[in-house]
Amino acid sequence: MADIKQQESSQNAGRAGVAGAGLSAVERTKPRTYLRQSWDRFKRNKISLAALAVTILILMFSFGAPLVSTFITGKGYQEQSLLNQLEPPFSDGFILGADNLGRDVLTRLAYGGRVSMMVALIAMGGALAIGGTLGAISGYYGRWVDSVIMRFVDIMIAIPGIFLLIFIGSMFTLSPIGLAIVIAIVGWVGLARLIRAEVLSLRQRDYVEAAKVVGASDSRVIFRHIFPNVLPLVIVWATLVVPVLIITEASLSFLGYGVQTPIPSWGNMLQQAQRFFTHQWTLAFIPGAMIYITVLAINLLGNGLRDALDPRISD
Amino acid sequence: MGRFVARRLLQTIPLVIGITIITFALANLVPGSPVAGLELDPSVSPEDTERIRANLGLDEPLHVRYFVWISNVAQGDFGLSLRTHRPVLDVILERLPNTLLLTGTSLVLALAFSIPVGVYAALKRNSIFDQFATMGAVAGVAVPNFWLGLMMILLFSVMFREWGLPALPSGGTHTIGTGGDLMDRLTHLLMPSIVLAFSATAAWTRYIRSQMIEVLRQDYMRSAQAKGLKDYIVTFRHGLRNALLPLVTLMALEIPTLFGGAVVVETIFSWPGIGRLIITAASQRDYTVIMGTVVIVSFLVILANLIADVMYAVLDPRIRYD
């Protein structure tokens, strides 16, 4: 793969001009911590703030599913009522309507969100653990270790993930947690490449060389000097990969190889709606819209985080 | 140049071997064995089971079985389908043109939309058009394809028919029972290819816009203008050419996503391609077909990357061949 040269022109632009504004004033103000600076940058962007609010709302709705069930809808997610099949939204007792078995859509949406979010978050954690470790080893130690790991990454990138997941899904009936682990095993490769490239460039910086010269151990160099510099990149990647994982889980569940009924997920709600959506279109519209809003919000949140945590890596 | 291609080809060999190893290893994770049923059958003696195992080559160690399989694959023999008993390669080659037609059309659609919009947005930076294009791109990239597909069927096939408007067909490559003339096939192709192209279009529009803005800042653009070239020559010959160059790589990177998306789109629109083939095979646990599909799709991805690299080297003289 031919490398696209990274544009580094704007990299040093922001650093000049800081010292110019009267030295005494600088001395009196307390230095802002990195976290504080990032937050100040983040909250300047109103879209990012809105995205954060929406993301928090969706997380509360999803992980508060039992509360939604008890206090708002008053129904369980498996409670069927054959008298209320395909009830339209805003009808008596069913805020978002009922599905083909008369189950309350709003309740199922909350429980489905909990499953979808949980799968995505666990898969993200797994991908971080695998991709982060292998990428760091590859970038730091180089030589044959690097070659072996990167060839493996090349192989994994060449196989379209969903084909591999369907292959595995056809062999085993996976629990949501099993599914999350399998998605992580397929989804770590992008991060490994990213971390490797970053570590590779950090390793040659003067301060790393200096630390090595004064006799710092490998682990000290990695955890004190390299890790903090890779962290912003990892946080941004971890945020932006969640929408990808949500879509992966939903696609798989939609195809019938992800979360299995009776456990609801946004993807398998859509799958079941497929047969009935010509009678009641909201059945397919609502879970899809929920996925869309979630993915959009987390995408925007990730972009905001990227600009805030490391202005250099903004696109 | 020849040496560059040859070297690049050599580099794909470990990839191809790696893919076959992973596929083979996965297939051997399948619970149970082909003779598991016989082992439980009281009318079949253990000696007979052993003989059947030996006949099938199942008594050989794993690496020997892998070499038998890989040498067959190298000769185009992916075995027989466990359900239909037809050669797997035939089944796949029958479906592949449909998938290539779908993904190819989507690629063309995505390019035909994203290049003009991205370039125009960059030229008219911060205009209303630009703001709409940027917003649309951000909003568009997040649309799940399965949702978009269902909603389009709902609107253009179901509702349009109810309202008495000309409705689009909701599935298949052509109307069943007719041969399917060009127009008929095109109307069938329209919705699936739009759905498949959607998020790539949004992503590329953004990319082309930022790439074009970057190029517009370059010195050679100013020189071209300074020596009195016409605006459109500066924009298109000097600007666009350079802005589109990285798109070659981007397109190659999109290929796996496109094949992945094809699985979903083909399922929604009953499009008889390899995406639906693997879904049907998975539901029937037809492992030879699944293995064949995974291997062939991966080979296609590698091939696309190879072509992209060579094209990039041809288009960009700054890339050295050695």
Side-chain angles (χ1 to χ4, degrees):
Chain A
M1 189 59 40
D3 281 337
I4 305 170
K5 241 191 188 164
Q6 289 217 316
Q7 302 293 336
E8 291 186 318
S9 54
S10 61
Q11 196 161 316
N12 296 313
R15 291 184 195 150
V18 175
L23 213 71
S24 56
V26 172
E27 274 169 349
R28 257 184 274 120
T29 48
K30 237 173 126 189
R32 294 183 302 164
T33 60
Y34 171 66
L35 216 64
R36 186 60 208 248
Q37 285 181 38
S38 304
W39 171 244
D40 285 347
R41 273 196 294 265
F42 183 83
K43 71 181 180 192
R44 244 181 279 150
N45 190 339
K46 294 287 170 289
I47 294 177
S48 309
L49 275 181
L52 179 65
V54 173
T55 308
I56 291 173
L57 275 179
I58 291 170
L59 284 173
M60 278 165 54
F61 172 69
S62 301
F63 287 97
L67 299 175
V68 172
S69 160
T70 325
F71 294 110
I72 301 177
T73 63
K75 295 184 185 66
Y77 69 90
Q78 292 204 54
E79 219 176 288
Q80 304 181 2
S81 155
L82 295 179
L83 286 174
N84 295 305
Q85 286 174 21
L86 303 177
E87 199 83 53
F90 309 117
S91 55
D92 207 23
F94 296 91
I95 301 171
L96 289 180
D99 69 4
N100 54 309
L101 295 172
R103 296 174 297 193
D104 184 61
V105 170
L106 183 61
T107 316
R108 289 182 67 75
L109 202 61
Y111 276 97
R114 190 165 77 162
V115 173
S116 292
M117 283 292 186
M118 201 183 70
V119 169
L121 291 177
I122 295 175
M124 183 255 277
L128 272 180
I130 308 173
T133 314
L134 289 181
I137 291 175
S138 199
Y140 190 76
Y141 291 104
R143 295 160 181 271
W144 65 269
V145 185
D146 180 34
S147 307
V148 170
I149 295 177
M150 282 305 118
R151 287 303 78 75
F152 187 62
V153 166
D154 288 344
I155 294 167
M156 291 296 285
I157 283 178
I159 310 177
I162 200 111
F163 282 80
L164 217 48
L165 289 170
I166 292 169
F167 192 1
I168 299 171
S170 71
M171 298 190 283
F172 310 102
T173 307
L174 295 166
S175 67
I177 291 179
L179 180 67
I181 293 169
V182 171
I183 292 177
I185 290 172
V186 175
W188 58 273
V189 279
L191 180 70
R193 269 198 175 168
L194 203 69
I195 300 266
R196 171 185 175 270
E198 189 69 7
V199 169
L200 210 59
S201 95
L202 287 172
R203 199 181 57 169
Q204 289 155 352
R205 298 282 166 88
D206 289 343
Y207 58 82
V208 173
E209 297 274 322
K212 276 189 191 159
V213 169
V214 296
S217 64
D218 267 7
S219 67
R220 187 177 165 85
V221 171
I222 291 174
F223 288 106
R224 291 286 304 198
H225 299 284
I226 292 184
F227 179 71
N229 284 299
V230 182
L231 197 59
L233 199 72
V234 172
I235 295 174
V236 172
W237 183 87
T239 315
L240 287 175
V241 82
V242 169
V244 177
L245 297 171
I246 291 178
I247 295 269
T248 306
E249 179 274 321
S251 303
L252 269 182
S253 303
F254 178 75
L255 295 168
Y257 295 96
V259 177
Q260 302 294 330
T261 48
I263 304 171
S265 88
W266 290 339
N268 71 23
M269 282 174 77
L270 260 168
Q271 186 214 9
Q272 289 157 42
Q274 229 184 328
R275 275 177 296 154
F276 303 98
F277 82 111
T278 47
H279 302 289
Q280 187 54 54
W281 63 276
T282 52
L283 279 184
F285 180 82
I286 291 170
M290 203 64 196
I291 297 173
Y292 177 56
I293 294 168
T294 310
V295 167
L296 186 60
I298 302 179
N299 266 341
L300 291 171
L301 175 66
N303 289 343
L305 277 178
R306 179 173 53 195
D307 296 342
L309 289 174
D310 192 348
R312 286 175 308 159
I313 52 177
S314 75
D315 57 350
Chain B
M1 189 66 211
R3 282 189 58 185
F4 172 75
V5 178
R7 256 191 42 164
R8 201 54 195 71
L9 265 173
L10 278 179
Q11 282 171 359
T12 61
I13 294 176
L15 280 187
V16 168
I17 294 175
I19 286 164
T20 53
I21 289 179
I22 289 182
T23 315
F24 186 80
L26 265 180
N28 277 284
L29 283 179
V30 176
S33 83
V35 292
L38 299 176
E39 278 158 7
L40 297 171
D41 190 342
S43 65
V44 181
S45 69
E47 292 81 39
D48 284 342
T49 321
E50 253 338 285
R51 224 183 46 243
I52 292 169
R53 278 176 66 89
N55 276 342
L56 290 172
L58 290 171
D59 56 344
E60 303 280 358
L62 213 54
H63 65 271
V64 175
R65 281 160 55 196
Y66 169 73
F67 281 113
V68 171
W69 179 69
I70 183 86
S71 56
N72 287 338
V73 166
Q75 297 163 42
D77 177 10
F78 284 87
L80 299 178
S81 158
L82 299 179
R83 298 291 144 172
T84 59
H85 304 292
R86 292 181 53 208
V88 170
L89 192 67
D90 290 359
V91 178
I92 292 174
L93 289 182
E94 200 178 280
R95 300 291 198 96
L96 197 57
N98 284 330
T99 299
L100 293 181
L101 176 69
L102 180 64
T103 46
T105 315
S106 301
L107 266 182
V108 173
L109 277 181
L111 288 177
F113 187 85
S114 61
I115 293 177
V117 174
V119 169
Y120 192 72
L123 291 177
K124 305 276 178 224
R125 207 174 159 192
N126 296 328
S127 66
I128 298 196
F129 179 86
D130 180 27
Q131 281 169 0
F132 266 102
T134 311
M135 247 166 52
V138 172
V141 85
V143 176
N145 49 15
F146 40 85
W147 187 52
L148 183 66
L150 287 181
M151 290 301 118
M152 279 181 84
I153 289 180
L154 188 69
L155 181 64
F156 295 115
S157 302
V158 181
M159 300 304 247
F160 269 36
R161 185 160 303 141
E162 256 173 48
W163 297 335
L165 291 167
L168 281 171
S170 64
T173 57
H174 58 275
T175 309
I176 310 269
T178 69
D181 54 6
L182 187 65
M183 202 51 215
D184 185 48
R185 283 178 186 270
L186 282 181
T187 49
H188 279 82
L189 185 59
L190 192 61
M191 277 206 288
S193 54
I194 288 178
V195 172
L196 189 55
F198 204 80
S199 73
T201 311
W204 291 355
T205 306
R206 255 187 109 185
Y207 184 79
I208 290 168
R209 176 184 170 275
S210 65
Q211 198 66 33
M212 192 72 191
I213 286 173
E214 196 57 48
V215 166
L216 288 175
R217 273 209 282 266
Q218 302 293 318
D219 288 340
Y220 57 75
M221 294 295 284
R222 207 178 313 127
S223 326
Q225 239 161 7
K227 70 182 182 189
L229 289 180
K230 291 197 178 70
D231 267 359
Y232 69 88
I233 292 189
V234 178
T235 310
F236 290 103
R237 191 169 303 164
H238 294 249
L240 190 60
R241 273 190 172 189
N242 283 297
L244 293 189
L245 203 51
L247 199 64
V248 176
T249 309
L250 212 63
M251 274 168 65
L253 288 178
E254 189 67 25
I255 300 289
T257 321
L258 222 47
F259 278 123
V263 178
V264 173
V265 172
E266 286 176 4
T267 305
I268 297 175
F269 290 98
S270 324
W271 189 266
I274 46 170
R276 246 186 89 207
L277 179 65
I278 195 172
I279 293 293
T280 324
S283 67
Q284 297 170 335
R285 302 188 172 227
D286 193 343
Y287 294 114
T288 46
V289 173
I290 302 178
M291 285 167 81
T293 317
V294 171
V295 169
I296 288 200
V297 167
S298 310
F299 285 1
L300 286 175
V301 171
I302 292 177
L303 188 68
N305 277 316
L306 190 69
I307 294 172
D309 275 9
V310 174
M311 258 173 78
Y312 203 93
V314 171
L315 293 175
D316 190 346
R318 284 170 298 184
I319 307 250
R320 275 169 299 143
Y321 299 138
D322 40 57

